[in-house]
Amino acid sequence: MEKVTNQIPKNISLSELTGEQRGLLNKILSPVISLSAFVGFWYLMSLHYNSQLLLPTPRSTFTAFVLFFKTPDVWKNLLLTLERVLKGFSCAMIIGVPVGLLMGVSKTATRMLDPLLGCFRQVPIMAWVPLSIIWFGLGNGPTIFMIALAGLFSVVLNTIVGVRNISKDYFHAARSMGAGSFSIFRHIVLPGALPDILGGARLALGGGWMAVICAEFIATSAGFGFAMVEAQTRMETEKLLALMILGAFVGYLMDKCICAAGNVLTQWK
Amino acid sequence: MIKLKVEHLGKTFSRGDDTRVVLGDISFEVEDRQFVSILGPSGCGKTTLLSILAGFQDATSGNILLGNRKVSRPGPDRGFVFQNYALFPWMTVKENVMFPMKQQNVPREERERTAARLLNMAQLDGKENFFPKELSGGMKQRTAFIRALAGRPEILLMDEPMGAVDFQMRQKLQEELESLWLKEQITVIMVTHDVDEAVYLSDRVIVLSSKQGRILDDVFIDLPRPRDREAEAYEKHKTRLNSLLRKAFKEI
């Protein structure tokens, strides 16, 4: 009779894994462990307080989250808010990049604008809310203004750094090859500062996303932030928590998008 | 024919009452198609001299004549090869090589033709669309060299073009540079602190002293090319320059 060889592999113990496999396992397991620990802690605390108003359980929050997929209102508010973010962010870029480039190349411009920038930057962004309501009323106006303002400073400052960090050799090289001022701006300053400009854009978008939610708490009657206040006043804490989680996801996705765009634009790096 | 004339060039840096003479009174002439090295200990002002020739810095006194024209600002008549190559990282190899020609409004067809010829000469075929970060040290150097040539300069200025590479690589790069130069036959002024490099590449070596940046000696190297590093005459030149360099160093 033929012998049947045993095809089932014997149990693999951790010590038999190669270094690479162990690294991969570690990479997957570590965040899973910390996240489950957090949710476990949340669950225990919700049991302890035993109040859907104070701290809903992870399960009811998850249910509220799933329910979003059946409520168009949530998405309508989210889209409205995203539209505001994009508009405000665009304003920040359209104003911030040229100002930053100018300050990066011109010492006079820096001397003139630096004190102004330094002062305005110190005003907490939320302190602009009352004035922006006076100026723009309620709705899109103040929110877009706040997002633009929140992003403007990081765009300007990063652009300046980007221009100043370009190696002097590149300017010398371009000049010794016959390049004029415009050509140097177009072929050296712009591409050389681009990685830092994109860094500024990333901060501006993140900052804008934070600012818009806060602005919507106060200065509007629609949008993602408004939906959160609504959930709070209706005492639907599980919906509020679910909205917060959704907000985190959206912010994360926006950040990933801008990083991906940056990688495409600066392949040479 | 005299290509470059340097007349009583001086450079002093001053800050408050403190003045430091970097270049004393430098005068020399360079023949057309000559490969001249400027050799000296670090701090002797050789890089300052080169950057004044390129127009990146102003001289305190003296004149530079290229052909019969006085030059002071940077210009495409003087090609420059930087120590770290200074290839524009956001441009591909080909875009880098095309850049000087674009700046001088060379017609597109001619641009393409010249770029193709130079890339082929530097054995960079197939690497046209690489970014500098994707190149080896040798390829970077060759790109920098042909980029400087692409602008049709009358003279090439090179600042320690092999400064950033290890010894083995250095010899290989020197040989590559020599063969490229033999094909182009352009006037070159190269700054170096490496005696072997100076002897291997140059027709003539100007030794600077570190004391007040003056010319200590002017040595002609009349050896057949490509040069044999093991030849007796080669060794002799090295020994002589080494002792000059020691002397230059002691003069501090």
Side-chain angles (χ1 to χ4, degrees), chain A residues 166-167 169-180 183 187-188 191-192 267-269, chain B residues 56 74-76 78 80 82 84 86-91 96 99-100 103-104 131 133 147:
Chain A
I166 300 171
S167 160
D169 284 346
Y170 296 147
F171 290 101
H172 281 156
R175 237 170 250 133
S176 80
M177 289 184 250
S183 183
H187 296 289
I188 310 298
Q267 275 173 326
W268 50 269
K269 241 192 135 180
Chain B
F56 302 151
R78 284 147 292 148
F80 202 95
F82 292 82
N84 54 13
L87 296 172
F88 303 130
W90 46 85
M91 294 185 198
N96 265 288
F99 186 77
Q103 299 314 310
Q104 291 168 60
F131 285 110
K133 69 158 183 188
R147 180 178 71 169

